[in-house]
Amino acid sequence: MNRIKGKLILITGASSGIGEACARRFAAEGAQLVLWARRRVRLESVGRALEAQHGVVARLAEVDVRDRAAVSRAAEALVAAGQVPDVLVNNAGLASGLSKVHEGDPEDWDRMIDTNLKGLLNVTRAVLPHMVARRRGHVVNIGSVAGHQTYPMGNVYNASKFGVRALTEGMNLDMAGTPIRVSAVDPGMVETEFSEVRFHGDRERAKAVYQGLQPLTAADVADTIAYVVNLPEHVNILDLIIMPTAQRNVYVVDRATP
Ligand code: NDP
Ligand code: 8X3
């Protein structure tokens, strides 16, 4: 049964990777879309293609989730147009750098904490009150296996994703007494622009992360998110970990040797 058709779904970080794959998957199911990211040209190419292909409406906005005022303005514009999202996918996020904490770059720390934690909070604070007022809505936070298990040099990224897990749990408690669901989807390795961003544009180093194994694709993760969103309203997935079969935890990865 398709419970996604006709829903209004706001996806942050929809210009690439998992967010873009969610936009594609939800459009194929007949959802109306609100797509936010910083790269407007990328958003436009995703949104316009989906409108042409599936006949859905994609409302696009260039929003940096770290900019609380910009987030509030974009959310208010939606609400003023009568467009309160039925589903919010808090996906915008990144790793920046991979260093021991005593050698880390505080600019990288700011980027991760401001985006993964404060950005998620900014968007949730702007959208969730309207869901509560209507007594309808579903928030899906994209965490990570890195929010369940630390790894060397993952320090601040790990902390941000452990934080996302705590926020998902806390938000669920806060929604007690309402029908609003809060879910987390926590992937292992997914081949997207994630590693290229983490290594500040070093494509060779990024490619090496996925060498010798079959990682998840963004579409695999979008399928899982669509499953979580499509469940009937009395069913709430609190936390779902999705891994490539070749990755059993953050350390145990089966790699073919060349
Ligand atoms: P990508 O780099 O491909 O996508 C990240 C998206 O986030 C982009 O659309 C980017 O858009 C957006 N984004 C980043 N910073 C901001 C910002 N300040 N404001 C608005 N949008 C922003 O990586 P993924 O698709 O892999 O990452 C998506 C989520 O999945 C992240 O939260 C990540 O932590 C999580 N994740 C990824 C895994 C992986 O292995 N790839 C595994 C587990 C979790 P733009 O640059 O245009 O703003
Ligand atoms: C991304 C997965 O293992 O690189 O969240 O941290 S990992």
Side-chain angles (χ1 to χ4, degrees), residues 21-63:
C22 284
R24 293 187 186 287
R25 176 60 200 264
F26 287 134
E29 302 286 348
Q32 308 302 320
L33 302 173
V34 181
L35 307 179
W36 290 358
R38 292 167 301 177
R39 288 172 292 177
R40 181 165 195 103
V41 173
R42 292 274 292 259
L43 272 186
E44 267 166 7
S45 101
V46 173
R48 300 291 87 97
L50 293 178
E51 286 183 333
Q53 207 178 337
H54 300 290
V56 298
V57 174
R59 294 174 176 80
L60 317 174
E62 190 180 317
V63 178

Side-chain angles (χ1 to χ4, degrees), residues 90 141-148 157 161 164-165 168 184-187:
N90 272 321
N141 293 332
I142 307 307
S144 171
V145 68
H148 294 262
Y157 181 68
K161 290 299 184 178
V164 169
R165 188 145 71 95
T168 306
V185 172
D186 297 344

Side-chain angles (χ1 to χ4, degrees), residues 63-78:
V63 178
D64 184 331
V65 296
R66 295 171 297 181
D67 182 343
R68 190 171 296 145
V71 167
S72 297
R73 277 196 304 274
E76 285 311 322
L78 278 178

Side-chain angles (χ1 to χ4, degrees), residues 13-19 37-39 63-66 91-94 115 142-144 157 161 187-190 192-194 197 210:
S15 60
S16 73
I18 295 168
R38 292 167 301 177
R39 288 172 292 177
V63 178
D64 184 331
V65 296
R66 295 171 297 181
N91 163 75
L94 78 176
T115 310
I142 307 307
S144 171
Y157 181 68
K161 290 299 184 178
M189 286 167 141
V190 193
T192 60
E193 294 175 19
F194 176 86
V197 171
Y210 310 105

